[in-house]
Amino acid sequence: PFLCAQDVIGAQSKSKAFVCSGTASNSLYGTAEALWRPQLEPEELLQVCGRAFLSALERDCLSGYGAIIYLMVGGEGIMEYELACRND
């Protein structure tokens, strides 16, 4: 797969592991770097993404109150997971 994120002015950030963008990208990077490792199983990847999103959403009030995770698995298709967090 090819992973690439772009900022507001179009500058690209490429990676072989993961990319993060948005208002909480600094928080996303910290958690993702701590938890991600190569060859994660789909369930493990879902947990890593969920923890990274929750960590970032709890620290940045501009990020919203949840996320939708789309997990693409070869032969199984695309699975959608809704992630809710605090709403105060």
Side-chain angles (χ1 to χ4, degrees):
F2 175 73
L3 301 174
C4 180
Q6 293 183 329
D7 66 10
V8 192
I9 60 172
Q12 295 182 350
S13 173
K14 300 174 188 173
S15 174
K16 294 185 188 273
F18 57 85
V19 293
C20 302
S21 63
T23 60
S25 61
N26 290 339
S27 296
L28 284 169
Y29 269 112
T31 307
E33 286 174 342
L35 299 175
W36 185 88
R37 66 183 193 286
Q39 305 300 320
L40 287 169
E41 293 296 322
E43 297 81 20
E44 294 173 312
L45 181 59
L46 180 63
Q47 288 181 0
V48 167
C49 291
R51 288 180 184 168
F53 286 138
L54 281 177
S55 175
L57 290 169
E58 294 289 325
R59 287 169 174 76
D60 184 357
C61 65
L62 299 177
S63 293
Y65 300 116
I68 299 175
I69 300 172
Y70 293 97
L71 186 61
M72 296 179 279
V73 179
E76 294 181 34
I78 301 172
M79 294 169 277
E80 180 180 312
Y81 300 90
E82 287 191 38
L83 183 65
C85 67
R86 71 181 209 196
N87 192 0
D88 58 345

